[in-house]
Amino acid sequence: VFLFYPSILYLITKIGYKNFFKAIFPAQMLAFSTSSSAATLPLTMKRVKKNLNVSEEVTSFVCPLGATINMDGTSIHQAISAVFIAQAFGQDLTLADQLVIIVTATLSSIGAAAVPGAGLIMLVIVLGAVGIDPQGLALIIAIDRPLDMCRTIVNVTGDATVASIVAHTEGELSLIHISEPTRRY
């Protein structure tokens, strides 16, 4: 979130680190509090369109698609959790097992719903793919909510990044200038 996405964004679009995070910060905070990419979608689209100057066409295509299938945070969580559970059970993972975890975590994160806790349910698929006992979920279920909140920030930040990159490649994005929010008294 703080290194990869801003670096890619800057290399491709020249949008600065500070400007990018200032533009999407409210969407990130809503994502953190709700743990739902779907609930955050309207605000994400508004911030991407208004503050990152991405067109309505690109925003309305990329952001909903991203909220549905771009679950980078979920994929990372599932892979790390599967390895952790395997180690906790004393199960050695071969290189083939690790590759299966990566592929299965990526595919199951694409199919995960954009609602709180969906990644934890999909983790059963990843664990089953390499023969890890699904009862290992008990090891991480207690701390899943804060992790889910952070995963959702990763997902929303990725959606905003991809929307900006797509707009740039379509020739629709110029360097952004973020204006101060208007205040209503």
Side-chain angles (χ1 to χ4, degrees), residues 83-117:
V83 171
F84 171 76
I85 293 168
Q87 288 179 343
F89 284 167
Q91 182 175 341
D92 291 328
L93 296 173
T94 65
L95 182 58
D97 289 338
Q98 293 174 32
L99 291 174
V100 168
I101 287 173
I102 291 170
V103 171
T104 310
T106 302
L107 293 175
S108 69
S109 70
I110 291 170
V115 296

mmCIF file of all heavy atoms in Angstrom, residues 83-117:
data_model
loop_
_atom_site.group_PDB
_atom_site.id
_atom_site.type_symbol
_atom_site.label_atom_id
_atom_site.label_comp_id
_atom_site.label_asym_id
_atom_site.label_seq_id
_atom_site.Cartn_x
_atom_site.Cartn_y
_atom_site.Cartn_z
ATOM 1 N N VAL A 83 0.511 -20.734 5.089
ATOM 2 C CA VAL A 83 1.869 -21.104 5.500
ATOM 3 C C VAL A 83 1.979 -21.097 7.031
ATOM 4 O O VAL A 83 2.568 -22.007 7.628
ATOM 5 C CB VAL A 83 2.908 -20.162 4.854
ATOM 6 C CG1 VAL A 83 4.297 -20.394 5.438
ATOM 7 C CG2 VAL A 83 2.931 -20.350 3.341
ATOM 8 N N PHE A 84 1.397 -20.101 7.665
ATOM 9 C CA PHE A 84 1.418 -20.030 9.128
ATOM 10 C C PHE A 84 0.742 -21.247 9.762
ATOM 11 O O PHE A 84 1.282 -21.862 10.687
ATOM 12 C CB PHE A 84 0.736 -18.745 9.608
ATOM 13 C CG PHE A 84 0.528 -18.696 11.096
ATOM 14 C CD1 PHE A 84 1.592 -18.420 11.950
ATOM 15 C CD2 PHE A 84 -0.716 -18.943 11.650
ATOM 16 C CE1 PHE A 84 1.404 -18.389 13.325
ATOM 17 C CE2 PHE A 84 -0.911 -18.911 13.019
ATOM 18 C CZ PHE A 84 0.148 -18.629 13.863
ATOM 19 N N ILE A 85 -0.434 -21.592 9.271
ATOM 20 C CA ILE A 85 -1.167 -22.734 9.826
ATOM 21 C C ILE A 85 -0.395 -24.033 9.603
ATOM 22 O O ILE A 85 -0.319 -24.884 10.490
ATOM 23 C CB ILE A 85 -2.596 -22.798 9.244
ATOM 24 C CG1 ILE A 85 -3.411 -21.600 9.744
ATOM 25 C CG2 ILE A 85 -3.287 -24.105 9.605
ATOM 26 C CD1 ILE A 85 -4.730 -21.394 9.026
ATOM 27 N N ALA A 86 0.200 -24.176 8.423
ATOM 28 C CA ALA A 86 1.006 -25.371 8.151
ATOM 29 C C ALA A 86 2.179 -25.463 9.128
ATOM 30 O O ALA A 86 2.471 -26.542 9.663
ATOM 31 C CB ALA A 86 1.502 -25.357 6.713
ATOM 32 N N GLN A 87 2.853 -24.355 9.372
ATOM 33 C CA GLN A 87 3.972 -24.354 10.313
ATOM 34 C C GLN A 87 3.506 -24.646 11.732
ATOM 35 O O GLN A 87 4.167 -25.358 12.479
ATOM 36 C CB GLN A 87 4.715 -23.020 10.266
ATOM 37 C CG GLN A 87 5.516 -22.833 9.002
ATOM 38 C CD GLN A 87 6.219 -21.484 8.962
ATOM 39 O OE1 GLN A 87 5.888 -20.567 9.699
ATOM 40 N NE2 GLN A 87 7.186 -21.364 8.068
ATOM 41 N N ALA A 88 2.344 -24.093 12.104
ATOM 42 C CA ALA A 88 1.820 -24.328 13.456
ATOM 43 C C ALA A 88 1.487 -25.802 13.667
ATOM 44 O O ALA A 88 1.634 -26.326 14.780
ATOM 45 C CB ALA A 88 0.583 -23.474 13.692
ATOM 46 N N PHE A 89 1.068 -26.486 12.607
ATOM 47 C CA PHE A 89 0.755 -27.912 12.698
ATOM 48 C C PHE A 89 1.972 -28.789 12.443
ATOM 49 O O PHE A 89 1.870 -30.009 12.438
ATOM 50 C CB PHE A 89 -0.349 -28.283 11.704
ATOM 51 C CG PHE A 89 -1.731 -27.848 12.122
ATOM 52 C CD1 PHE A 89 -2.761 -27.887 11.202
ATOM 53 C CD2 PHE A 89 -2.022 -27.419 13.399
ATOM 54 C CE1 PHE A 89 -4.048 -27.499 11.563
ATOM 55 C CE2 PHE A 89 -3.292 -27.030 13.773
ATOM 56 C CZ PHE A 89 -4.304 -27.070 12.856
ATOM 57 N N GLY A 90 3.120 -28.166 12.183
ATOM 58 C CA GLY A 90 4.341 -28.923 11.946
ATOM 59 C C GLY A 90 4.380 -29.591 10.583
ATOM 60 O O GLY A 90 5.116 -30.551 10.374
ATOM 61 N N GLN A 91 3.615 -29.104 9.649
ATOM 62 C CA GLN A 91 3.561 -29.683 8.303
ATOM 63 C C GLN A 91 4.567 -28.963 7.409
ATOM 64 O O GLN A 91 4.534 -27.751 7.256
ATOM 65 C CB GLN A 91 2.152 -29.529 7.728
ATOM 66 C CG GLN A 91 1.987 -30.152 6.364
ATOM 67 C CD GLN A 91 0.540 -30.082 5.890
ATOM 68 O OE1 GLN A 91 -0.379 -29.901 6.686
ATOM 69 N NE2 GLN A 91 0.351 -30.222 4.597
ATOM 70 N N ASP A 92 5.477 -29.738 6.841
ATOM 71 C CA ASP A 92 6.452 -29.164 5.921
ATOM 72 C C ASP A 92 5.812 -28.965 4.554
ATOM 73 O O ASP A 92 5.130 -29.855 4.037
ATOM 74 C CB ASP A 92 7.680 -30.084 5.783
ATOM 75 C CG ASP A 92 8.507 -30.135 7.057
ATOM 76 O OD1 ASP A 92 8.553 -29.110 7.773
ATOM 77 O OD2 ASP A 92 9.102 -31.192 7.335
ATOM 78 N N LEU A 93 6.051 -27.816 3.977
ATOM 79 C CA LEU A 93 5.504 -27.511 2.653
ATOM 80 C C LEU A 93 6.618 -27.609 1.620
ATOM 81 O O LEU A 93 7.666 -26.979 1.759
ATOM 82 C CB LEU A 93 4.906 -26.101 2.631
ATOM 83 C CG LEU A 93 3.699 -25.862 3.531
ATOM 84 C CD1 LEU A 93 3.321 -24.387 3.523
ATOM 85 C CD2 LEU A 93 2.526 -26.713 3.085
ATOM 86 N N THR A 94 6.390 -28.387 0.600
ATOM 87 C CA THR A 94 7.345 -28.485 -0.495
ATOM 88 C C THR A 94 7.193 -27.248 -1.381
ATOM 89 O O THR A 94 6.249 -26.464 -1.225
ATOM 90 C CB THR A 94 7.084 -29.746 -1.335
ATOM 91 O OG1 THR A 94 5.797 -29.616 -1.962
ATOM 92 C CG2 THR A 94 7.135 -31.006 -0.475
ATOM 93 N N LEU A 95 8.103 -27.103 -2.312
ATOM 94 C CA LEU A 95 8.003 -25.995 -3.260
ATOM 95 C C LEU A 95 6.712 -26.104 -4.071
ATOM 96 O O LEU A 95 6.036 -25.094 -4.324
ATOM 97 C CB LEU A 95 9.223 -25.969 -4.198
ATOM 98 C CG LEU A 95 9.265 -24.820 -5.208
ATOM 99 C CD1 LEU A 95 9.235 -23.470 -4.508
ATOM 100 C CD2 LEU A 95 10.494 -24.946 -6.092
ATOM 101 N N ALA A 96 6.339 -27.315 -4.427
ATOM 102 C CA ALA A 96 5.085 -27.528 -5.168
ATOM 103 C C ALA A 96 3.886 -27.110 -4.321
ATOM 104 O O ALA A 96 2.948 -26.481 -4.832
ATOM 105 C CB ALA A 96 4.959 -28.984 -5.586
ATOM 106 N N ASP A 97 3.904 -27.445 -3.029
ATOM 107 C CA ASP A 97 2.818 -27.031 -2.130
ATOM 108 C C ASP A 97 2.720 -25.504 -2.060
ATOM 109 O O ASP A 97 1.630 -24.937 -2.082
ATOM 110 C CB ASP A 97 3.028 -27.577 -0.712
ATOM 111 C CG ASP A 97 2.818 -29.073 -0.606
ATOM 112 O OD1 ASP A 97 2.115 -29.646 -1.470
ATOM 113 O OD2 ASP A 97 3.361 -29.678 0.345
ATOM 114 N N GLN A 98 3.853 -24.850 -1.982
ATOM 115 C CA GLN A 98 3.866 -23.389 -1.904
ATOM 116 C C GLN A 98 3.327 -22.758 -3.185
ATOM 117 O O GLN A 98 2.598 -21.763 -3.140
ATOM 118 C CB GLN A 98 5.271 -22.889 -1.603
ATOM 119 C CG GLN A 98 5.740 -23.278 -0.208
ATOM 120 C CD GLN A 98 7.177 -22.906 0.053
ATOM 121 O OE1 GLN A 98 7.670 -21.913 -0.470
ATOM 122 N NE2 GLN A 98 7.861 -23.703 0.862
ATOM 123 N N LEU A 99 3.669 -23.347 -4.323
ATOM 124 C CA LEU A 99 3.134 -22.848 -5.592
ATOM 125 C C LEU A 99 1.623 -23.070 -5.688
ATOM 126 O O LEU A 99 0.889 -22.204 -6.179
ATOM 127 C CB LEU A 99 3.851 -23.501 -6.774
ATOM 128 C CG LEU A 99 5.318 -23.103 -6.960
ATOM 129 C CD1 LEU A 99 5.960 -23.934 -8.070
ATOM 130 C CD2 LEU A 99 5.448 -21.627 -7.252
ATOM 131 N N VAL A 100 1.165 -24.212 -5.194
ATOM 132 C CA VAL A 100 -0.276 -24.486 -5.172
ATOM 133 C C VAL A 100 -0.981 -23.468 -4.274
ATOM 134 O O VAL A 100 -2.058 -22.968 -4.613
ATOM 135 C CB VAL A 100 -0.556 -25.934 -4.713
ATOM 136 C CG1 VAL A 100 -2.028 -26.136 -4.398
ATOM 137 C CG2 VAL A 100 -0.109 -26.921 -5.775
ATOM 138 N N ILE A 101 -0.370 -23.136 -3.147
ATOM 139 C CA ILE A 101 -0.953 -22.127 -2.253
ATOM 140 C C ILE A 101 -1.067 -20.787 -2.969
ATOM 141 O O ILE A 101 -2.109 -20.122 -2.894
ATOM 142 C CB ILE A 101 -0.125 -21.998 -0.950
ATOM 143 C CG1 ILE A 101 -0.349 -23.219 -0.067
ATOM 144 C CG2 ILE A 101 -0.487 -20.716 -0.201
ATOM 145 C CD1 ILE A 101 0.551 -23.271 1.152
ATOM 146 N N ILE A 102 -0.029 -20.394 -3.673
ATOM 147 C CA ILE A 102 -0.048 -19.107 -4.381
ATOM 148 C C ILE A 102 -1.150 -19.086 -5.435
ATOM 149 O O ILE A 102 -1.946 -18.140 -5.502
ATOM 150 C CB ILE A 102 1.329 -18.819 -5.023
ATOM 151 C CG1 ILE A 102 2.361 -18.536 -3.946
ATOM 152 C CG2 ILE A 102 1.236 -17.636 -5.992
ATOM 153 C CD1 ILE A 102 3.780 -18.481 -4.446
ATOM 154 N N VAL A 103 -1.219 -20.116 -6.245
ATOM 155 C CA VAL A 103 -2.230 -20.162 -7.310
ATOM 156 C C VAL A 103 -3.636 -20.240 -6.720
ATOM 157 O O VAL A 103 -4.537 -19.503 -7.140
ATOM 158 C CB VAL A 103 -1.959 -21.358 -8.260
ATOM 159 C CG1 VAL A 103 -3.112 -21.562 -9.228
ATOM 160 C CG2 VAL A 103 -0.660 -21.142 -9.027
ATOM 161 N N THR A 104 -3.820 -21.093 -5.741
ATOM 162 C CA THR A 104 -5.146 -21.252 -5.144
ATOM 163 C C THR A 104 -5.579 -19.987 -4.411
ATOM 164 O O THR A 104 -6.743 -19.587 -4.489
ATOM 165 C CB THR A 104 -5.172 -22.450 -4.175
ATOM 166 O OG1 THR A 104 -4.612 -23.590 -4.824
ATOM 167 C CG2 THR A 104 -6.574 -22.770 -3.728
ATOM 168 N N ALA A 105 -4.660 -19.343 -3.698
ATOM 169 C CA ALA A 105 -4.994 -18.100 -2.996
ATOM 170 C C ALA A 105 -5.385 -17.008 -3.982
ATOM 171 O O ALA A 105 -6.347 -16.264 -3.756
ATOM 172 C CB ALA A 105 -3.819 -17.639 -2.140
ATOM 173 N N THR A 106 -4.673 -16.927 -5.086
ATOM 174 C CA THR A 106 -5.002 -15.924 -6.101
ATOM 175 C C THR A 106 -6.367 -16.187 -6.707
ATOM 176 O O THR A 106 -7.202 -15.278 -6.813
ATOM 177 C CB THR A 106 -3.924 -15.910 -7.213
ATOM 178 O OG1 THR A 106 -2.650 -15.649 -6.618
ATOM 179 C CG2 THR A 106 -4.235 -14.865 -8.262
ATOM 180 N N LEU A 107 -6.620 -17.425 -7.088
ATOM 181 C CA LEU A 107 -7.907 -17.757 -7.702
ATOM 182 C C LEU A 107 -9.068 -17.634 -6.721
ATOM 183 O O LEU A 107 -10.142 -17.140 -7.078
ATOM 184 C CB LEU A 107 -7.862 -19.157 -8.302
ATOM 185 C CG LEU A 107 -6.923 -19.340 -9.496
ATOM 186 C CD1 LEU A 107 -6.881 -20.797 -9.930
ATOM 187 C CD2 LEU A 107 -7.325 -18.441 -10.651
ATOM 188 N N SER A 108 -8.870 -18.060 -5.478
ATOM 189 C CA SER A 108 -9.975 -17.971 -4.520
ATOM 190 C C SER A 108 -10.240 -16.524 -4.116
ATOM 191 O O SER A 108 -11.378 -16.168 -3.807
ATOM 192 C CB SER A 108 -9.711 -18.833 -3.286
ATOM 193 O OG SER A 108 -8.669 -18.310 -2.517
ATOM 194 N N SER A 109 -9.216 -15.675 -4.138
ATOM 195 C CA SER A 109 -9.456 -14.262 -3.820
ATOM 196 C C SER A 109 -10.258 -13.583 -4.924
ATOM 197 O O SER A 109 -11.037 -12.673 -4.652
ATOM 198 C CB SER A 109 -8.140 -13.525 -3.582
ATOM 199 O OG SER A 109 -7.414 -13.380 -4.785
ATOM 200 N N ILE A 110 -10.102 -14.041 -6.144
ATOM 201 C CA ILE A 110 -10.907 -13.498 -7.248
ATOM 202 C C ILE A 110 -12.371 -13.853 -7.043
ATOM 203 O O ILE A 110 -13.260 -13.061 -7.315
ATOM 204 C CB ILE A 110 -10.390 -14.012 -8.605
ATOM 205 C CG1 ILE A 110 -9.018 -13.402 -8.915
ATOM 206 C CG2 ILE A 110 -11.374 -13.712 -9.726
ATOM 207 C CD1 ILE A 110 -8.313 -14.019 -10.098
ATOM 208 N N GLY A 111 -12.627 -15.035 -6.516
ATOM 209 C CA GLY A 111 -13.997 -15.477 -6.313
ATOM 210 C C GLY A 111 -14.597 -15.053 -4.989
ATOM 211 O O GLY A 111 -15.771 -15.291 -4.740
ATOM 212 N N ALA A 112 -13.798 -14.392 -4.130
ATOM 213 C CA ALA A 112 -14.309 -13.986 -2.816
ATOM 214 C C ALA A 112 -15.263 -12.810 -2.956
ATOM 215 O O ALA A 112 -15.069 -11.926 -3.786
ATOM 216 C CB ALA A 112 -13.149 -13.617 -1.897
ATOM 217 N N ALA A 113 -16.281 -12.808 -2.127
ATOM 218 C CA ALA A 113 -17.223 -11.694 -2.111
ATOM 219 C C ALA A 113 -16.565 -10.472 -1.474
ATOM 220 O O ALA A 113 -15.655 -10.592 -0.659
ATOM 221 C CB ALA A 113 -18.464 -12.085 -1.320
ATOM 222 N N ALA A 114 -17.038 -9.289 -1.849
ATOM 223 C CA ALA A 114 -16.475 -8.042 -1.338
ATOM 224 C C ALA A 114 -17.158 -7.633 -0.038
ATOM 225 O O ALA A 114 -17.552 -6.491 0.152
ATOM 226 C CB ALA A 114 -16.621 -6.956 -2.393
ATOM 227 N N VAL A 115 -17.302 -8.574 0.870
ATOM 228 C CA VAL A 115 -17.955 -8.337 2.154
ATOM 229 C C VAL A 115 -17.029 -8.778 3.278
ATOM 230 O O VAL A 115 -16.122 -9.587 3.058
ATOM 231 C CB VAL A 115 -19.307 -9.087 2.249
ATOM 232 C CG1 VAL A 115 -20.284 -8.562 1.222
ATOM 233 C CG2 VAL A 115 -19.131 -10.577 2.084
ATOM 234 N N PRO A 116 -17.249 -8.287 4.496
ATOM 235 C CA PRO A 116 -16.370 -8.653 5.609
ATOM 236 C C PRO A 116 -16.345 -10.161 5.871
ATOM 237 O O PRO A 116 -17.368 -10.827 5.873
ATOM 238 C CB PRO A 116 -16.989 -7.917 6.808
ATOM 239 C CG PRO A 116 -17.758 -6.791 6.215
ATOM 240 C CD PRO A 116 -18.240 -7.283 4.881
ATOM 241 N N GLY A 117 -15.150 -10.684 6.078
ATOM 242 C CA GLY A 117 -14.984 -12.085 6.452
ATOM 243 C C GLY A 117 -14.972 -13.079 5.315
ATOM 244 O O GLY A 117 -14.754 -14.268 5.536
#
